């Protein structure tokens, strides 16, 4: 029962998603054994060459042979393929830091991969913003039409949010980029392992300073899922606006048929369920963070199955849900079109220039600001009551509204024409970051520059991982790796997770492997 419910599913998960990281770690450890003269160069090379042949289908969970433990199975696979025993291999070792390191490498790689997807979303938002920064549309506050904006202005905010999240993910990456290897079971190790070198060979920026933290903490998973949850909250708000704009009452946007749905009963409807899917998926991201967080609270600070395995059960699901959400949103923005005539009509039927009229009454007629607001509001009430459109307006009504407050207004017609002109509603904005098309253009240029910078930063971190892999193989006398760390040649690049997540710990004895799988390989 334990094998069926816990051990084998976790073994299957690790063999699909973490085996490349285990192999990379074992190769680095072999290089360290050679450096410390624990293994001869020939022994280290033989071990590493055997490790290089491991793939996702090489190992099988077998309770009687390897206790259904990936580390034991990998060890036995190597031993049974060596021409002669290497007695000192695995001396002064623990699975605790090995598992912690493999899990962290998995999370680190997934985080970097997701950041790439997020940068694509930001680029899609900025491209659409540039194409629509001249199109007037109503902006809303408190669910009411408020001021004239453009889709480009709104989408620039989407792009800024995406880059903000990417920066935070970069900071998260740097914060967790500390190698646990060399911590041992919890108190360190007896041999003089070079933890700085091991960290470098595995692509880490540094070793984790505390041996206890190395094996006891999985704060990196809670920090990562927290960022995914925050991003999900922002994306849900953007999706809500798109859903609103796509409704029949607004009709501001349209998606192509291949991204749309129909009603089985009402043929006149064109639905956008993809937006509902996006918003619905964002809820999972917050739930995955809560799952990781609650799995760690009220536990002792030590190596513990509850924290190292169960608390991270849905980590892959969190990354895949985030990636799928972002992928859908990216495609929506790439295929989304706006309907300028509907947006302009909405602007023209709303009194969106009320704020500008109050400003003009103060700046040109000397009306105190609060009084000017009352006069402008009163005019809107009178004009709407009379069934008038905002433009051209009725100068007599403005003069009457001003007279009620003891104010005399001259040039009322010009004031109304300026205040309620839709195009002028954009052009009047002069502050940086405003809805003025040129201000949007300048913001998009800044976002483009930040995109380039962040892309370079992520490239630099990926290069450190690749460089570590190359150096490890050079030290061990192996051919240069063909792919990045953790990307074995028969390992699927995208795969759904099993239900149980990261590995379950067993005893410290009884190693073995699947002989049939070894012979097949």
């Amino acid at each position: 029962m334990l094998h069926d419910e816990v051990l084998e599913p976790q073994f299957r998960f690790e063999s699909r998603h973490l085996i490349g990281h285990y192999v990379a770690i074992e190769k680095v450890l072999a290089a360290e054994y050679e450096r410390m003269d624990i293994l001869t160069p020939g022994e280290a090379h033989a071990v590493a060459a055997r490790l290089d042949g491991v793939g996702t289908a090489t190992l099988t969970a077998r309770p009687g042979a390897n206790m259904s433990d990936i580390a034991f199975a990998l060890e036995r696979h190597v031993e049974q393929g060596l021409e002669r025993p290497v007695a000192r291999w695995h001396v002064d070792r623990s699975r605790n830091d090995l598992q912690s390191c493999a899990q962290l490498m998995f999370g680190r790689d997934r985080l970097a991969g997701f950041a790439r997807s997020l940068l694509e979303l930001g680029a899609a938002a900025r491209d659409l913003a540039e194409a629509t920064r001249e199109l007037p549309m109503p902006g809303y506050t408190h669910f009411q039409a408020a001021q004239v904006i453009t889709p480009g202005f709104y989408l620039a905010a989407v792009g800024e949010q995406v880059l903000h999240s990417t920066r935070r993910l970069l900071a998260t990456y740097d914060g967790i980029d500390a190698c646990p290897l060399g911590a041992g079971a919890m108190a360190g190790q007896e041999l003089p392992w070079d933890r700085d070198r091991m960290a470098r060979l595995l692509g880490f920026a540094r070793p984790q300073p505390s041996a206890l933290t190395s094996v006891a903490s999985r704060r990196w998973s809670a920090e990562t899922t927290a960022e995914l949850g925050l991003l999900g909250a922002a994306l849900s708000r953007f999706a809500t606006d798109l859903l609103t704009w796509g409704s029949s009452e607004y009709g501001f946007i349209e998606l192509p048929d291949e991204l749309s749905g129909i009603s089985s009963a009402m043929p006149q409807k064109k639905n956008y369920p993809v937006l509902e899917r996006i918003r619905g998926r964002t809820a999972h991201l917050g739930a995955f963070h809560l799952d990781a967080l609650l799995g760690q609270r009220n536990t002792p600070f030590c190596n513990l199955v509850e924290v190292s395995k169960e608390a991270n059960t849905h980590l892959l699901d969190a990354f895949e849900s985030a990636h799928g959400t972002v992928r859908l949103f990216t495609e929506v923005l790439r295929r989304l079109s706006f309907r300028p005539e509907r947006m302009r009509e909405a602007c023209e039927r709303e009194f969106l220039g009320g704020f500008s009229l109050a400003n003009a009454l103060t700046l040109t007629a000397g009306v105190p600001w609060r009084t000017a607001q009352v006069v402008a509001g009163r005019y809107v009430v009178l004009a709407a009551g009379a069934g008038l459109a905002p433009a051209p307006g009725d100068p007599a009504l403005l003069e009457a509204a001003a007279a009620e407050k003891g104010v005399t207004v001259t040039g009322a017609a010009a004031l109304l024409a300026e205040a309620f002109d839709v195009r002028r509603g954009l052009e009047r904005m002069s502050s940086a970051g405003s809805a003025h098309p040129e201000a949007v253009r300048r913001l998009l240029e800044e976002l483009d520059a930040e995109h380039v910078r962040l892309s370079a930063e992520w490239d630099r971190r990926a290069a450190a991982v690749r460089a570590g892999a190359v150096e490890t193989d050079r030290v061990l006398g192996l051919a240069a790796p063909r792919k990045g760390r953790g990307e074995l040649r028969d390992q699927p690049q995208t795969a759904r997770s099993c239900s149980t997540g990261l590995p379950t710990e067993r005893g410290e004895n009884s190693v073995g492997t699947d002989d049939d799988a070894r012979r097949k390989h």
Side-chain angles (χ1 to χ4, degrees), residues 87-281:
R88 292 185 170 187
W89 186 46
H90 272 262
V91 68
D92 193 39
R93 288 277 306 281
S94 168
R95 285 179 307 144
N96 292 356
D97 62 339
L98 177 78
Q99 293 171 348
S100 178
C101 190
Q103 292 170 12
L104 179 53
M105 291 173 70
F106 164 79
R108 186 184 61 172
D109 283 3
R110 286 281 173 164
L111 180 59
F114 176 69
R116 290 296 177 191
S117 298
L118 202 55
L119 286 169
E120 289 185 20
L121 173 59
R126 294 194 304 281
D127 288 344
L128 187 55
E130 175 59 36
T132 59
R133 62 185 178 87
E134 300 272 358
L135 305 178
M137 72 174 292
Y140 297 87
T141 64
H142 304 284
F143 298 94
Q144 307 297 326
Q147 291 183 301
V148 180
I149 63 169
T150 67
F153 171 71
Y154 181 93
L155 290 163
V158 175
E160 193 280 329
Q161 171 65 52
V162 169
L163 288 181
H164 173 74
S165 296
T166 309
R167 280 192 298 271
R168 288 180 64 92
L169 289 176
L170 188 66
T172 299
Y173 184 102
D174 289 345
I176 69 177
D177 198 18
C179 183
L181 202 59
M186 68 176 293
Q189 296 183 266
E190 296 181 4
L191 292 175
W193 300 88
D194 187 340
R195 296 194 65 209
D196 289 300
R197 179 179 185 245
M198 290 193 294
R200 185 182 74 251
L201 294 181
L202 291 172
F204 286 95
R206 61 196 180 280
Q208 170 57 244
S210 166
L212 180 58
T213 299
S214 295
V215 299
S217 175
R218 295 299 186 276
R219 64 192 181 198
W220 62 267
S221 65
E223 291 171 359
T224 301
T225 53
E227 292 302 327
L228 299 183
L230 288 170
L231 173 65
L235 294 182
S236 74
R237 300 183 71 186
F238 298 140
T240 296
D241 284 334
L242 293 181
L243 280 165
T244 301
W245 297 345
S247 67
S248 56
E249 286 78 8
Y250 287 76
F252 292 169
I253 65 171
E254 188 164 10
L255 287 172
D257 290 350
E258 55 267 31
L259 285 178
S260 304
I262 61 172
S263 168
S264 62
M266 295 162 284
Q268 79 277 9
K269 291 183 64 185
K270 183 177 183 180
N271 301 327
Y272 298 135
V274 64
L275 297 175
E276 299 175 46
R277 289 285 186 178
I278 290 170
R279 188 168 68 172
R281 285 189 174 193

Side-chain angles (χ1 to χ4, degrees), residues 234-406:
L235 294 182
S236 74
R237 300 183 71 186
F238 298 140
T240 296
D241 284 334
L242 293 181
L243 280 165
T244 301
W245 297 345
S247 67
S248 56
E249 286 78 8
Y250 287 76
F252 292 169
I253 65 171
E254 188 164 10
L255 287 172
D257 290 350
E258 55 267 31
L259 285 178
S260 304
I262 61 172
S263 168
S264 62
M266 295 162 284
Q268 79 277 9
K269 291 183 64 185
K270 183 177 183 180
N271 301 327
Y272 298 135
V274 64
L275 297 175
E276 299 175 46
R277 289 285 186 178
I278 290 170
R279 188 168 68 172
R281 285 189 174 193
T282 60
H284 306 322
L285 300 181
F288 287 135
H289 169 60
L290 189 60
D291 182 70
L293 188 64
L294 294 181
Q296 300 183 41
R297 68 181 296 273
N298 290 349
T299 59
F301 197 70
C302 63
N303 185 70
L304 199 68
V305 170
E306 186 176 354
V307 172
S308 63
K309 281 61 165 203
E310 287 298 331
N312 290 332
T313 293
H314 298 294
L315 186 60
L316 176 61
D317 293 319
F319 278 118
E320 291 194 336
S321 183
H323 181 266
T325 302
V326 166
R327 186 183 180 197
L328 288 172
F329 215 137
T330 301
E331 194 61 22
V332 163
L333 294 186
R334 285 172 176 165
R335 309 295 296 279
L336 184 69
S337 61
F338 285 85
R339 301 174 66 183
E341 71 289 347
R342 290 292 295 266
M343 296 188 300
R344 176 172 279 279
E345 288 171 4
C347 290
E348 290 174 347
R349 68 172 176 262
E350 299 287 349
F351 288 84
L352 302 182
F355 177 77
S356 299
L357 177 60
N359 271 346
L361 288 171
T362 296
L363 296 175
T364 64
V367 180
W369 167 241
R370 290 302 174 191
T371 302
Q373 281 188 310
V374 173
V375 171
R378 180 59 179 159
Y379 168 77
V380 171
V381 169
L382 293 174
L388 299 177
D394 186 338
L397 285 182
L398 177 58
E399 293 168 354
E404 291 179 9
K405 302 301 293 183

